[in-house]
Amino acid sequence: MRPSSPAAFVQGYPGALSPQVCDDIVARFEADPRRYPSRTATRRNPLIRSGTMLDIPRYEAWADVCSLVTQVTRRCLDDYVQRYPSLQFLARPENSLITPPIIERIEPGQGYGYHVDAGASGTHDRIVSGLFYLRDVAEGGETEFPFQVMHVKPRAGLLLLFPP
């Protein structure tokens, strides 16, 4: 992929989380009774977003996962900004915030429509978005970047970093 290609701004980090960690997170998610129907930052809208989600930073039982995801994201973000030097100042730890993760399960027929990754309080100035996949998906389930003419197949442990 050439650096001048728009798709170059979508960077994948395979193995960012181990398969065991992914399985453990999924099992904990499935066992957590606080899951709720997916919603957008401003309201529930099943035409735009459907699935099941859990805002894990609210719960002390998930502190270890939040910490791990933040550490892994920071390490990959450091690599990402080396590729795009104009982001280096903005992405320094003292200048940036890695927002806490939300877990979302999307079943066949569900999804998250085209959108910009901003909207919740504190995300209007987001410079990079991150998406971890916790499961492999054999058929369908791809994340589409229509302007980059790119589809990403979910693979457990893969972290995607991309402009919001």
Side-chain angles (χ1 to χ4, degrees):
M1 191 178 314
R2 295 187 334 255
S4 61
S5 163
F9 292 105
V10 179
Q11 293 293 323
Y13 295 89
L17 295 176
S18 73
Q20 181 61 47
V21 166
C22 292
D23 289 345
D24 290 346
I25 292 171
V26 169
R28 287 171 66 178
F29 173 81
E30 295 300 338
D32 197 312
R34 298 169 290 207
R35 293 173 290 146
Y36 53 89
S38 295
R39 61 179 180 238
T40 61
T42 56
R43 67 190 176 285
R44 184 172 185 276
N45 187 339
L47 297 176
I48 296 174
R49 188 174 193 163
S50 60
T52 304
M53 63 193 313
L54 182 65
D55 189 3
I56 64 173
R58 294 182 178 183
Y59 309 112
E60 183 61 32
W62 286 93
D64 60 324
V65 172
C66 289
S67 177
L68 175 63
V69 166
T70 298
Q71 290 171 19
V72 170
T73 301
R74 173 56 63 192
R75 186 175 63 243
C76 294
L77 180 60
D78 289 346
D79 175 78
Y80 186 88
V81 300
Q82 291 302 313
R83 297 169 187 263
Y84 309 105
S86 62
L87 297 176
Q88 288 178 6
F89 176 78
L90 295 171
R92 286 183 186 160
E94 66 272 17
N95 296 337
S96 62
L97 169 69
I98 295 176
T99 55
I102 295 173
I103 298 176
E104 186 166 18
R105 179 185 63 222
I106 305 294
E107 298 286 349
Q110 296 180 324
Y112 197 173
Y114 294 123
H115 64 282
V116 172
D117 265 0
S121 177
T123 64
H124 64 281
D125 55 358
R126 184 176 290 167
I127 59 166
V128 177
S129 292
L131 175 62
F132 280 95
Y133 296 101
L134 300 176
R135 293 271 190 206
D136 290 350
V137 175
E139 188 176 319
E142 295 176 334
T143 301
E144 181 181 4
F145 295 90
F147 296 109
Q148 289 83 0
V149 191
M150 179 180 193
H151 294 79
V152 177
K153 190 137 196 83
R155 296 288 177 227
L158 172 64
L159 168 61
L160 283 185
L161 294 178
F162 52 91

